[in-house]
Amino acid sequence: MANWKENFISMAKTMGIKIAPAQAEQFQAYLELLLEWNEKINLTAITDPEEVAEKHFLDSLTLLTCCKIKEGAKVIDVGTGAGFPGIPLKILRPDIRLTLLDGLNKRLNFLGEVCSSLEIEAERIHKRAEEAGLDKKMRESYDIATARAVAPLNILSEYCLPLVKMKGYFLAMKGPGAKEELEQAEHALDLLGGTDRKIFSLTLPTAGERNIVVVQKKAFTPKNYPRHGGTITKHPL
């Protein structure tokens, strides 16, 4: 990993993303913790340092190229897992107020160590997404809700849109096939208040096509959503 930081800075530059040397240090520390903890708990199937740089870190940062995130925005990373995309965003944008939401406590323990080691602040919440959407303190209180590799868009929208405040954004990170997913999710998005949507397509240096579905919330989510978790997955909107 001798030149890992330099390679990562260079790769990000090709995507129009500027990473300072101090930030590259944080990413390397994150990488080392990820690989160390991955031997104890299942965090990622990708363990090659160069692949982690592109398929996890750089992929997470593509959000910054498609959406202007306002200063001090409240951002929730739904089903954050190993911290993607939330932690990479926080490294590059320390001003955001980040919440990491996950249903598995041991992942949140890992993220606690990451935040401590990288000296970044993030609220960690141990809840299922549908529980968070019904929590009065969390419901419709975030400028941005984002999720990566969690569920198909028609299901994911019911997890995320209840958390987004009026005129805020739901950012869904997808691979190829995002257009078809968006078509299948149109009814769900209309029902939940996400009436303004578009897709940003981009290509990672070696990992290929990525799509970010950007949905702006233009109406309040009806009170009876989100439904119970089993219902959401068995009977998608």
Side-chain angles (χ1 to χ4, degrees):
M1 289 207 300
N3 298 317
W4 186 89
K5 285 180 289 188
E6 292 76 7
N7 292 344
F8 181 49
I9 290 169
S10 173
M11 184 166 50
K13 196 174 178 182
T14 67
M15 301 288 294
I17 298 166
K18 186 179 178 187
I19 294 174
Q23 291 167 332
E25 290 273 0
Q26 287 177 296
F27 277 107
Q28 184 161 346
Y30 187 9
L31 168 69
E32 288 166 1
L33 282 169
L34 178 68
L35 298 181
E36 179 192 327
W37 275 68
N38 201 52
E39 293 178 9
K40 298 180 277 186
I41 63 171
N42 182 27
L43 292 167
T44 176
I46 299 167
T47 54
D48 176 76
E50 298 301 330
E51 282 194 66
V52 171
E54 181 177 5
K55 294 179 181 175
H56 284 326
F57 297 165
L58 188 58
D59 185 38
S60 296
L61 295 175
T62 57
L63 282 183
L64 297 172
T65 69
C66 80
C67 184
K68 185 167 172 52
I69 300 175
K70 70 178 186 180
E71 187 81 16
K74 277 187 78 177
V75 178
I76 185 165
D77 180 2
V78 176
T80 184
F84 310 123
I87 300 272
L89 289 179
K90 180 73 176 175
I91 292 172
L92 251 63
R93 286 287 305 273
D95 61 284
I96 66 171
R97 289 174 289 160
L98 177 64
T99 297
L100 301 166
L101 178 72
D102 203 88
L104 204 59
N105 215 26
K106 53 189 177 181
R107 290 194 198 119
L108 294 170
N109 290 339
F110 161 70
L111 294 172
E113 184 159 332
V114 170
C115 291
S116 174
S117 178
L118 273 52
E119 297 184 344
I120 59 176
E121 281 185 27
E123 185 178 13
R124 291 171 291 128
I125 295 181
H126 180 218
K127 275 183 194 290
R128 295 173 64 88
E130 64 273 21
E131 293 169 345
L134 294 169
D135 185 324
K136 287 178 183 172
K137 291 184 202 157
M138 300 176 73
R139 186 179 177 89
E140 296 188 322
S141 65
Y142 296 91
D143 298 295
I144 290 170
T146 186
R148 177 179 178 266
V150 170
L153 192 60
N154 57 346
I155 293 171
L156 191 61
S157 56
E158 192 169 354
Y159 290 146
C160 292
L161 271 168
L163 294 162
V164 179
K165 64 169 65 167
M166 183 67 80
K167 296 192 178 174
Y169 290 90
F170 162 39
L171 306 178
M173 307 190 73
K174 294 289 177 183
K179 188 171 181 287
E180 292 75 13
E181 276 197 54
L182 182 55
E183 286 167 4
Q184 289 166 3
E186 282 186 352
H187 171 66
L189 291 167
D190 283 341
L191 187 61
L192 298 165
T195 51
D196 185 358
R197 53 245 185 187
K198 46 186 175 275
I199 295 179
F200 284 85
S201 296
L202 49 104
T203 305
L204 291 173
T206 66
E209 181 188 346
R210 294 290 187 272
N211 291 284
I212 299 166
V213 182
V214 178
V215 178
Q216 187 171 27
K217 188 163 180 175
K218 293 289 187 74
F220 291 113
T221 300
K223 285 194 172 78
N224 45 331
Y225 299 101
R227 297 167 295 162
H228 184 269
T231 310
I232 294 172
T233 50
K234 284 177 194 158
H235 305 286
L237 295 172

